Amino acid sequence: MKNCLTCGHLQEEGNFCGKCGAPLESSVFEQAVTINDLNDYQDQSQSQSHFTHTSQSRDQIESIKKQSKLYVNYFLEQLKNPSASLNIEAAWKNNIISMVIYVIITALSVFMLLKRFTSGGFGFFENYGPSIIQVIFYMTLFLTLLIAINVVAIFLTSKLFSENLSFTNIISKIGNYYALPIAITVLSILLGLLKSYTYSIFMLYVGFTLAIVIIPIFVMINLLSNTSKIIDNFYSFIFYLIVTGILSTIIFSFIIDSTIGDYLGFLF
């Protein structure tokens, strides 16, 4: 039905009123039906969009759970037999994850110990202690640089005297043994929470020594024992130590200068 807004006449067909000739409008009922249909369509579209978004979020959560479970199984296997997947290229992602986890938990352990020491002087130094953001930033940078030094030193040594390995391959070989340093550093955090700070510092030191010193040396020796070019393995290893020492000295000099400057600026 169409309604004439001028005289109120109703008729089924036509665009003009048969009584007064004025233009006709659809009835209020037809307009309401049209509006309701439009609203129903919008509601259905929003509902479908919400369902799709929820389904995608659920799939992402399930994927994260699955990957986490696979990594935990891999981590436990690495604790039992670290050298099992040393030459398996498919494990490089898990090895990099292990290195990232070690860097983060080491930074947290250092922050916890620093917080304890700065708050132990009757509250006098508590307001002058570094924030968790500062500690995580500097420790992450510090540990990343140390790992990078080892990777570069091994890369140069292997390229000159042993296998021609890529940076990704070397990082994977080092990270392959990081399950033990992670476990030891987690133990350091637990001991710190139990206020056994002496043992916490000791375990932190052990984990650091394993991750930054012993593991890279072991990987380097393992590479040189497989194949060696030009000179004896002993001299190849000496070359690795010299490169590591030079790079460490350069990096440490910049870090120490920057850290001391920031600390003095923070105090004064």
PDB file of all heavy atoms in Angstrom, residues 122-156:
ATOM      1  N   PHE A 122      68.798  -0.142  54.578  1.00  0.00           N
ATOM      2  CA  PHE A 122      67.829   0.615  55.367  1.00  0.00           C
ATOM      3  C   PHE A 122      66.988   1.559  54.494  1.00  0.00           C
ATOM      4  O   PHE A 122      66.573   2.629  54.912  1.00  0.00           O
ATOM      5  CB  PHE A 122      68.524   1.444  56.461  1.00  0.00           C
ATOM      6  CG  PHE A 122      69.357   0.601  57.375  1.00  0.00           C
ATOM      7  CD1 PHE A 122      70.729   0.517  57.206  1.00  0.00           C
ATOM      8  CD2 PHE A 122      68.765  -0.153  58.373  1.00  0.00           C
ATOM      9  CE1 PHE A 122      71.501  -0.283  58.041  1.00  0.00           C
ATOM     10  CE2 PHE A 122      69.526  -0.945  59.209  1.00  0.00           C
ATOM     11  CZ  PHE A 122      70.903  -1.019  59.048  1.00  0.00           C
ATOM     12  N   GLY A 123      66.811   1.147  53.227  1.00  0.00           N
ATOM     13  CA  GLY A 123      65.994   1.936  52.322  1.00  0.00           C
ATOM     14  C   GLY A 123      66.698   3.128  51.719  1.00  0.00           C
ATOM     15  O   GLY A 123      66.113   3.871  50.933  1.00  0.00           O
ATOM     16  N   PHE A 124      67.972   3.366  52.082  1.00  0.00           N
ATOM     17  CA  PHE A 124      68.665   4.564  51.601  1.00  0.00           C
ATOM     18  C   PHE A 124      68.912   4.505  50.094  1.00  0.00           C
ATOM     19  O   PHE A 124      68.765   5.498  49.387  1.00  0.00           O
ATOM     20  CB  PHE A 124      70.000   4.725  52.340  1.00  0.00           C
ATOM     21  CG  PHE A 124      70.775   5.938  51.906  1.00  0.00           C
ATOM     22  CD1 PHE A 124      70.416   7.199  52.356  1.00  0.00           C
ATOM     23  CD2 PHE A 124      71.850   5.820  51.024  1.00  0.00           C
ATOM     24  CE1 PHE A 124      71.125   8.318  51.942  1.00  0.00           C
ATOM     25  CE2 PHE A 124      72.559   6.933  50.617  1.00  0.00           C
ATOM     26  CZ  PHE A 124      72.193   8.184  51.086  1.00  0.00           C
ATOM     27  N   PHE A 125      69.293   3.301  49.589  1.00  0.00           N
ATOM     28  CA  PHE A 125      69.608   3.166  48.172  1.00  0.00           C
ATOM     29  C   PHE A 125      68.424   2.661  47.352  1.00  0.00           C
ATOM     30  O   PHE A 125      68.544   2.479  46.149  1.00  0.00           O
ATOM     31  CB  PHE A 125      70.783   2.195  47.969  1.00  0.00           C
ATOM     32  CG  PHE A 125      72.063   2.671  48.587  1.00  0.00           C
ATOM     33  CD1 PHE A 125      72.494   2.156  49.797  1.00  0.00           C
ATOM     34  CD2 PHE A 125      72.823   3.644  47.963  1.00  0.00           C
ATOM     35  CE1 PHE A 125      73.676   2.590  50.379  1.00  0.00           C
ATOM     36  CE2 PHE A 125      74.004   4.083  48.535  1.00  0.00           C
ATOM     37  CZ  PHE A 125      74.429   3.562  49.747  1.00  0.00           C
ATOM     38  N   GLU A 126      67.296   2.453  48.004  1.00  0.00           N
ATOM     39  CA  GLU A 126      66.175   1.839  47.296  1.00  0.00           C
ATOM     40  C   GLU A 126      65.670   2.718  46.155  1.00  0.00           C
ATOM     41  O   GLU A 126      65.335   2.237  45.074  1.00  0.00           O
ATOM     42  CB  GLU A 126      65.040   1.566  48.283  1.00  0.00           C
ATOM     43  CG  GLU A 126      63.896   0.772  47.684  1.00  0.00           C
ATOM     44  CD  GLU A 126      62.910   0.321  48.740  1.00  0.00           C
ATOM     45  OE1 GLU A 126      63.109   0.649  49.918  1.00  0.00           O
ATOM     46  OE2 GLU A 126      61.946  -0.369  48.359  1.00  0.00           O
ATOM     47  N   ASN A 127      65.623   4.026  46.383  1.00  0.00           N
ATOM     48  CA  ASN A 127      65.130   4.934  45.357  1.00  0.00           C
ATOM     49  C   ASN A 127      66.136   5.168  44.240  1.00  0.00           C
ATOM     50  O   ASN A 127      65.808   5.765  43.221  1.00  0.00           O
ATOM     51  CB  ASN A 127      64.750   6.279  45.985  1.00  0.00           C
ATOM     52  CG  ASN A 127      63.582   6.152  46.948  1.00  0.00           C
ATOM     53  OD1 ASN A 127      62.706   5.308  46.746  1.00  0.00           O
ATOM     54  ND2 ASN A 127      63.564   6.975  47.982  1.00  0.00           N
ATOM     55  N   TYR A 128      67.400   4.722  44.446  1.00  0.00           N
ATOM     56  CA  TYR A 128      68.434   4.941  43.457  1.00  0.00           C
ATOM     57  C   TYR A 128      68.727   3.693  42.629  1.00  0.00           C
ATOM     58  O   TYR A 128      69.614   3.709  41.791  1.00  0.00           O
ATOM     59  CB  TYR A 128      69.730   5.419  44.135  1.00  0.00           C
ATOM     60  CG  TYR A 128      69.583   6.754  44.814  1.00  0.00           C
ATOM     61  CD1 TYR A 128      69.322   6.824  46.180  1.00  0.00           C
ATOM     62  CD2 TYR A 128      69.697   7.929  44.089  1.00  0.00           C
ATOM     63  CE1 TYR A 128      69.176   8.054  46.808  1.00  0.00           C
ATOM     64  CE2 TYR A 128      69.557   9.171  44.715  1.00  0.00           C
ATOM     65  CZ  TYR A 128      69.287   9.218  46.080  1.00  0.00           C
ATOM     66  OH  TYR A 128      69.138  10.432  46.696  1.00  0.00           O
ATOM     67  N   GLY A 129      68.013   2.620  42.918  1.00  0.00           N
ATOM     68  CA  GLY A 129      68.248   1.387  42.170  1.00  0.00           C
ATOM     69  C   GLY A 129      67.673   1.472  40.768  1.00  0.00           C
ATOM     70  O   GLY A 129      66.759   2.250  40.481  1.00  0.00           O
ATOM     71  N   PRO A 130      68.206   0.684  39.845  1.00  0.00           N
ATOM     72  CA  PRO A 130      67.720   0.700  38.464  1.00  0.00           C
ATOM     73  C   PRO A 130      66.331   0.089  38.363  1.00  0.00           C
ATOM     74  O   PRO A 130      65.960  -0.785  39.155  1.00  0.00           O
ATOM     75  CB  PRO A 130      68.756  -0.143  37.720  1.00  0.00           C
ATOM     76  CG  PRO A 130      69.301  -1.065  38.764  1.00  0.00           C
ATOM     77  CD  PRO A 130      69.301  -0.269  40.041  1.00  0.00           C
ATOM     78  N   SER A 131      65.561   0.532  37.384  1.00  0.00           N
ATOM     79  CA  SER A 131      64.231  -0.022  37.158  1.00  0.00           C
ATOM     80  C   SER A 131      64.345  -1.338  36.404  1.00  0.00           C
ATOM     81  O   SER A 131      65.388  -1.664  35.841  1.00  0.00           O
ATOM     82  CB  SER A 131      63.372   0.960  36.367  1.00  0.00           C
ATOM     83  OG  SER A 131      63.896   1.129  35.058  1.00  0.00           O
ATOM     84  N   ILE A 132      63.255  -2.082  36.392  1.00  0.00           N
ATOM     85  CA  ILE A 132      63.269  -3.375  35.704  1.00  0.00           C
ATOM     86  C   ILE A 132      63.471  -3.188  34.204  1.00  0.00           C
ATOM     87  O   ILE A 132      64.118  -4.013  33.545  1.00  0.00           O
ATOM     88  CB  ILE A 132      61.956  -4.147  35.990  1.00  0.00           C
ATOM     89  CG1 ILE A 132      62.037  -5.551  35.381  1.00  0.00           C
ATOM     90  CG2 ILE A 132      60.742  -3.388  35.483  1.00  0.00           C
ATOM     91  CD1 ILE A 132      60.889  -6.439  35.768  1.00  0.00           C
ATOM     92  N   ILE A 133      62.966  -2.086  33.645  1.00  0.00           N
ATOM     93  CA  ILE A 133      63.153  -1.819  32.222  1.00  0.00           C
ATOM     94  C   ILE A 133      64.625  -1.568  31.915  1.00  0.00           C
ATOM     95  O   ILE A 133      65.171  -2.065  30.921  1.00  0.00           O
ATOM     96  CB  ILE A 133      62.290  -0.623  31.779  1.00  0.00           C
ATOM     97  CG1 ILE A 133      60.807  -0.950  31.964  1.00  0.00           C
ATOM     98  CG2 ILE A 133      62.586  -0.253  30.324  1.00  0.00           C
ATOM     99  CD1 ILE A 133      59.886   0.192  31.608  1.00  0.00           C
ATOM    100  N   GLN A 134      65.292  -0.787  32.786  1.00  0.00           N
ATOM    101  CA  GLN A 134      66.714  -0.516  32.581  1.00  0.00           C
ATOM    102  C   GLN A 134      67.538  -1.790  32.653  1.00  0.00           C
ATOM    103  O   GLN A 134      68.425  -2.021  31.830  1.00  0.00           O
ATOM    104  CB  GLN A 134      67.202   0.490  33.628  1.00  0.00           C
ATOM    105  CG  GLN A 134      66.683   1.899  33.439  1.00  0.00           C
ATOM    106  CD  GLN A 134      67.097   2.819  34.581  1.00  0.00           C
ATOM    107  OE1 GLN A 134      67.012   2.443  35.751  1.00  0.00           O
ATOM    108  NE2 GLN A 134      67.550   4.003  34.246  1.00  0.00           N
ATOM    109  N   VAL A 135      67.259  -2.617  33.667  1.00  0.00           N
ATOM    110  CA  VAL A 135      68.036  -3.850  33.850  1.00  0.00           C
ATOM    111  C   VAL A 135      67.823  -4.794  32.667  1.00  0.00           C
ATOM    112  O   VAL A 135      68.789  -5.348  32.117  1.00  0.00           O
ATOM    113  CB  VAL A 135      67.647  -4.539  35.170  1.00  0.00           C
ATOM    114  CG1 VAL A 135      68.318  -5.908  35.275  1.00  0.00           C
ATOM    115  CG2 VAL A 135      68.037  -3.676  36.359  1.00  0.00           C
ATOM    116  N   ILE A 136      66.570  -4.982  32.267  1.00  0.00           N
ATOM    117  CA  ILE A 136      66.289  -5.900  31.160  1.00  0.00           C
ATOM    118  C   ILE A 136      66.929  -5.384  29.872  1.00  0.00           C
ATOM    119  O   ILE A 136      67.510  -6.160  29.092  1.00  0.00           O
ATOM    120  CB  ILE A 136      64.770  -6.077  30.985  1.00  0.00           C
ATOM    121  CG1 ILE A 136      64.211  -6.888  32.162  1.00  0.00           C
ATOM    122  CG2 ILE A 136      64.452  -6.777  29.677  1.00  0.00           C
ATOM    123  CD1 ILE A 136      62.722  -7.099  32.094  1.00  0.00           C
ATOM    124  N   PHE A 137      66.858  -4.065  29.646  1.00  0.00           N
ATOM    125  CA  PHE A 137      67.444  -3.503  28.429  1.00  0.00           C
ATOM    126  C   PHE A 137      68.955  -3.710  28.400  1.00  0.00           C
ATOM    127  O   PHE A 137      69.516  -4.219  27.413  1.00  0.00           O
ATOM    128  CB  PHE A 137      67.113  -2.014  28.325  1.00  0.00           C
ATOM    129  CG  PHE A 137      67.823  -1.324  27.185  1.00  0.00           C
ATOM    130  CD1 PHE A 137      67.385  -1.486  25.884  1.00  0.00           C
ATOM    131  CD2 PHE A 137      68.938  -0.527  27.426  1.00  0.00           C
ATOM    132  CE1 PHE A 137      68.045  -0.861  24.836  1.00  0.00           C
ATOM    133  CE2 PHE A 137      69.599   0.102  26.383  1.00  0.00           C
ATOM    134  CZ  PHE A 137      69.148  -0.062  25.084  1.00  0.00           C
ATOM    135  N   TYR A 138      69.637  -3.308  29.492  1.00  0.00           N
ATOM    136  CA  TYR A 138      71.097  -3.406  29.500  1.00  0.00           C
ATOM    137  C   TYR A 138      71.572  -4.858  29.524  1.00  0.00           C
ATOM    138  O   TYR A 138      72.540  -5.206  28.852  1.00  0.00           O
ATOM    139  CB  TYR A 138      71.670  -2.642  30.700  1.00  0.00           C
ATOM    140  CG  TYR A 138      71.718  -1.153  30.485  1.00  0.00           C
ATOM    141  CD1 TYR A 138      70.900  -0.298  31.206  1.00  0.00           C
ATOM    142  CD2 TYR A 138      72.589  -0.591  29.555  1.00  0.00           C
ATOM    143  CE1 TYR A 138      70.936   1.079  31.001  1.00  0.00           C
ATOM    144  CE2 TYR A 138      72.634   0.779  29.344  1.00  0.00           C
ATOM    145  CZ  TYR A 138      71.805   1.604  30.070  1.00  0.00           C
ATOM    146  OH  TYR A 138      71.841   2.962  29.855  1.00  0.00           O
ATOM    147  N   MET A 139      70.892  -5.715  30.285  1.00  0.00           N
ATOM    148  CA  MET A 139      71.305  -7.114  30.334  1.00  0.00           C
ATOM    149  C   MET A 139      71.044  -7.812  29.006  1.00  0.00           C
ATOM    150  O   MET A 139      71.848  -8.631  28.553  1.00  0.00           O
ATOM    151  CB  MET A 139      70.572  -7.845  31.463  1.00  0.00           C
ATOM    152  CG  MET A 139      71.099  -7.541  32.849  1.00  0.00           C
ATOM    153  SD  MET A 139      72.870  -7.923  33.035  1.00  0.00           S
ATOM    154  CE  MET A 139      72.914  -9.653  32.585  1.00  0.00           C
ATOM    155  N   THR A 140      69.911  -7.495  28.384  1.00  0.00           N
ATOM    156  CA  THR A 140      69.618  -8.080  27.072  1.00  0.00           C
ATOM    157  C   THR A 140      70.666  -7.651  26.053  1.00  0.00           C
ATOM    158  O   THR A 140      71.170  -8.464  25.267  1.00  0.00           O
ATOM    159  CB  THR A 140      68.218  -7.662  26.594  1.00  0.00           C
ATOM    160  OG1 THR A 140      67.239  -8.113  27.539  1.00  0.00           O
ATOM    161  CG2 THR A 140      67.911  -8.260  25.228  1.00  0.00           C
ATOM    162  N   LEU A 141      71.001  -6.363  26.065  1.00  0.00           N
ATOM    163  CA  LEU A 141      72.033  -5.863  25.154  1.00  0.00           C
ATOM    164  C   LEU A 141      73.386  -6.504  25.451  1.00  0.00           C
ATOM    165  O   LEU A 141      74.097  -6.938  24.526  1.00  0.00           O
ATOM    166  CB  LEU A 141      72.130  -4.341  25.289  1.00  0.00           C
ATOM    167  CG  LEU A 141      73.205  -3.646  24.433  1.00  0.00           C
ATOM    168  CD1 LEU A 141      72.922  -3.851  22.954  1.00  0.00           C
ATOM    169  CD2 LEU A 141      73.268  -2.164  24.765  1.00  0.00           C
ATOM    170  N   PHE A 142      73.729  -6.596  26.736  1.00  0.00           N
ATOM    171  CA  PHE A 142      75.009  -7.162  27.148  1.00  0.00           C
ATOM    172  C   PHE A 142      75.138  -8.624  26.722  1.00  0.00           C
ATOM    173  O   PHE A 142      76.128  -9.032  26.099  1.00  0.00           O
ATOM    174  CB  PHE A 142      75.140  -7.026  28.662  1.00  0.00           C
ATOM    175  CG  PHE A 142      76.376  -7.655  29.239  1.00  0.00           C
ATOM    176  CD1 PHE A 142      77.629  -7.136  28.965  1.00  0.00           C
ATOM    177  CD2 PHE A 142      76.287  -8.766  30.062  1.00  0.00           C
ATOM    178  CE1 PHE A 142      78.777  -7.722  29.502  1.00  0.00           C
ATOM    179  CE2 PHE A 142      77.409  -9.355  30.601  1.00  0.00           C
ATOM    180  CZ  PHE A 142      78.655  -8.827  30.317  1.00  0.00           C
ATOM    181  N   LEU A 143      74.132  -9.425  27.040  1.00  0.00           N
ATOM    182  CA  LEU A 143      74.183 -10.848  26.713  1.00  0.00           C
ATOM    183  C   LEU A 143      74.122 -11.084  25.206  1.00  0.00           C
ATOM    184  O   LEU A 143      74.800 -11.979  24.675  1.00  0.00           O
ATOM    185  CB  LEU A 143      73.034 -11.581  27.404  1.00  0.00           C
ATOM    186  CG  LEU A 143      73.110 -11.652  28.931  1.00  0.00           C
ATOM    187  CD1 LEU A 143      71.821 -12.225  29.502  1.00  0.00           C
ATOM    188  CD2 LEU A 143      74.306 -12.485  29.371  1.00  0.00           C
ATOM    189  N   THR A 144      73.319 -10.283  24.517  1.00  0.00           N
ATOM    190  CA  THR A 144      73.229 -10.420  23.057  1.00  0.00           C
ATOM    191  C   THR A 144      74.570 -10.126  22.396  1.00  0.00           C
ATOM    192  O   THR A 144      74.983 -10.819  21.450  1.00  0.00           O
ATOM    193  CB  THR A 144      72.152  -9.485  22.499  1.00  0.00           C
ATOM    194  OG1 THR A 144      70.887  -9.785  23.111  1.00  0.00           O
ATOM    195  CG2 THR A 144      72.019  -9.650  20.995  1.00  0.00           C
ATOM    196  N   LEU A 145      75.260  -9.110  22.890  1.00  0.00           N
ATOM    197  CA  LEU A 145      76.581  -8.780  22.345  1.00  0.00           C
ATOM    198  C   LEU A 145      77.585  -9.897  22.614  1.00  0.00           C
ATOM    199  O   LEU A 145      78.400 -10.236  21.745  1.00  0.00           O
ATOM    200  CB  LEU A 145      77.080  -7.464  22.937  1.00  0.00           C
ATOM    201  CG  LEU A 145      76.381  -6.196  22.444  1.00  0.00           C
ATOM    202  CD1 LEU A 145      76.874  -4.985  23.209  1.00  0.00           C
ATOM    203  CD2 LEU A 145      76.597  -6.008  20.954  1.00  0.00           C
ATOM    204  N   LEU A 146      77.526 -10.474  23.808  1.00  0.00           N
ATOM    205  CA  LEU A 146      78.442 -11.576  24.121  1.00  0.00           C
ATOM    206  C   LEU A 146      78.182 -12.783  23.221  1.00  0.00           C
ATOM    207  O   LEU A 146      79.124 -13.420  22.722  1.00  0.00           O
ATOM    208  CB  LEU A 146      78.288 -11.973  25.589  1.00  0.00           C
ATOM    209  CG  LEU A 146      78.816 -10.988  26.631  1.00  0.00           C
ATOM    210  CD1 LEU A 146      78.544 -11.505  28.042  1.00  0.00           C
ATOM    211  CD2 LEU A 146      80.307 -10.748  26.438  1.00  0.00           C
ATOM    212  N   ILE A 147      76.919 -13.093  23.015  1.00  0.00           N
ATOM    213  CA  ILE A 147      76.576 -14.205  22.122  1.00  0.00           C
ATOM    214  C   ILE A 147      77.026 -13.893  20.695  1.00  0.00           C
ATOM    215  O   ILE A 147      77.555 -14.760  19.983  1.00  0.00           O
ATOM    216  CB  ILE A 147      75.060 -14.487  22.167  1.00  0.00           C
ATOM    217  CG1 ILE A 147      74.663 -15.002  23.560  1.00  0.00           C
ATOM    218  CG2 ILE A 147      74.656 -15.494  21.103  1.00  0.00           C
ATOM    219  CD1 ILE A 147      73.165 -15.133  23.766  1.00  0.00           C
ATOM    220  N   ALA A 148      76.818 -12.636  20.277  1.00  0.00           N
ATOM    221  CA  ALA A 148      77.225 -12.233  18.934  1.00  0.00           C
ATOM    222  C   ALA A 148      78.740 -12.343  18.758  1.00  0.00           C
ATOM    223  O   ALA A 148      79.227 -12.747  17.686  1.00  0.00           O
ATOM    224  CB  ALA A 148      76.765 -10.801  18.655  1.00  0.00           C
ATOM    225  N   ILE A 149      79.492 -12.000  19.804  1.00  0.00           N
ATOM    226  CA  ILE A 149      80.959 -12.120  19.738  1.00  0.00           C
ATOM    227  C   ILE A 149      81.353 -13.576  19.504  1.00  0.00           C
ATOM    228  O   ILE A 149      82.213 -13.880  18.660  1.00  0.00           O
ATOM    229  CB  ILE A 149      81.596 -11.586  21.041  1.00  0.00           C
ATOM    230  CG1 ILE A 149      81.477 -10.064  21.096  1.00  0.00           C
ATOM    231  CG2 ILE A 149      83.064 -12.007  21.141  1.00  0.00           C
ATOM    232  CD1 ILE A 149      81.884  -9.478  22.427  1.00  0.00           C
ATOM    233  N   ASN A 150      80.745 -14.484  20.250  1.00  0.00           N
ATOM    234  CA  ASN A 150      81.049 -15.908  20.075  1.00  0.00           C
ATOM    235  C   ASN A 150      80.671 -16.395  18.680  1.00  0.00           C
ATOM    236  O   ASN A 150      81.411 -17.162  18.050  1.00  0.00           O
ATOM    237  CB  ASN A 150      80.312 -16.728  21.133  1.00  0.00           C
ATOM    238  CG  ASN A 150      80.968 -16.647  22.485  1.00  0.00           C
ATOM    239  OD1 ASN A 150      82.169 -16.870  22.626  1.00  0.00           O
ATOM    240  ND2 ASN A 150      80.202 -16.315  23.506  1.00  0.00           N
ATOM    241  N   VAL A 151      79.519 -15.949  18.198  1.00  0.00           N
ATOM    242  CA  VAL A 151      79.070 -16.382  16.866  1.00  0.00           C
ATOM    243  C   VAL A 151      80.028 -15.893  15.790  1.00  0.00           C
ATOM    244  O   VAL A 151      80.423 -16.661  14.895  1.00  0.00           O
ATOM    245  CB  VAL A 151      77.639 -15.868  16.593  1.00  0.00           C
ATOM    246  CG1 VAL A 151      77.251 -16.117  15.143  1.00  0.00           C
ATOM    247  CG2 VAL A 151      76.643 -16.539  17.524  1.00  0.00           C
ATOM    248  N   VAL A 152      80.423 -14.627  15.878  1.00  0.00           N
ATOM    249  CA  VAL A 152      81.346 -14.074  14.876  1.00  0.00           C
ATOM    250  C   VAL A 152      82.706 -14.779  14.934  1.00  0.00           C
ATOM    251  O   VAL A 152      83.296 -15.111  13.898  1.00  0.00           O
ATOM    252  CB  VAL A 152      81.515 -12.552  15.087  1.00  0.00           C
ATOM    253  CG1 VAL A 152      82.634 -12.009  14.213  1.00  0.00           C
ATOM    254  CG2 VAL A 152      80.216 -11.826  14.790  1.00  0.00           C
ATOM    255  N   ALA A 153      83.200 -15.015  16.150  1.00  0.00           N
ATOM    256  CA  ALA A 153      84.496 -15.683  16.299  1.00  0.00           C
ATOM    257  C   ALA A 153      84.456 -17.103  15.737  1.00  0.00           C
ATOM    258  O   ALA A 153      85.385 -17.538  15.039  1.00  0.00           O
ATOM    259  CB  ALA A 153      84.907 -15.702  17.774  1.00  0.00           C
ATOM    260  N   ILE A 154      83.398 -17.831  16.028  1.00  0.00           N
ATOM    261  CA  ILE A 154      83.265 -19.191  15.500  1.00  0.00           C
ATOM    262  C   ILE A 154      83.099 -19.162  13.982  1.00  0.00           C
ATOM    263  O   ILE A 154      83.659 -19.998  13.258  1.00  0.00           O
ATOM    264  CB  ILE A 154      82.084 -19.911  16.167  1.00  0.00           C
ATOM    265  CG1 ILE A 154      82.362 -20.140  17.657  1.00  0.00           C
ATOM    266  CG2 ILE A 154      81.796 -21.252  15.486  1.00  0.00           C
ATOM    267  CD1 ILE A 154      81.204 -20.737  18.423  1.00  0.00           C
ATOM    268  N   PHE A 155      82.332 -18.189  13.489  1.00  0.00           N
ATOM    269  CA  PHE A 155      82.118 -18.073  12.045  1.00  0.00           C
ATOM    270  C   PHE A 155      83.443 -17.845  11.312  1.00  0.00           C
ATOM    271  O   PHE A 155      83.727 -18.513  10.307  1.00  0.00           O
ATOM    272  CB  PHE A 155      81.144 -16.927  11.764  1.00  0.00           C
ATOM    273  CG  PHE A 155      80.969 -16.625  10.304  1.00  0.00           C
ATOM    274  CD1 PHE A 155      80.168 -17.416   9.506  1.00  0.00           C
ATOM    275  CD2 PHE A 155      81.617 -15.542   9.729  1.00  0.00           C
ATOM    276  CE1 PHE A 155      80.010 -17.141   8.154  1.00  0.00           C
ATOM    277  CE2 PHE A 155      81.468 -15.254   8.386  1.00  0.00           C
ATOM    278  CZ  PHE A 155      80.663 -16.058   7.593  1.00  0.00           C
ATOM    279  N   LEU A 156      84.244 -16.909  11.808  1.00  0.00           N
ATOM    280  CA  LEU A 156      85.519 -16.624  11.155  1.00  0.00           C
ATOM    281  C   LEU A 156      86.469 -17.821  11.225  1.00  0.00           C
ATOM    282  O   LEU A 156      87.130 -18.167  10.237  1.00  0.00           O
ATOM    283  CB  LEU A 156      86.169 -15.396  11.812  1.00  0.00           C
ATOM    284  CG  LEU A 156      85.451 -14.056  11.604  1.00  0.00           C
ATOM    285  CD1 LEU A 156      86.149 -12.960  12.394  1.00  0.00           C
ATOM    286  CD2 LEU A 156      85.390 -13.700  10.125  1.00  0.00           C
TER     287      LEU A 156
END
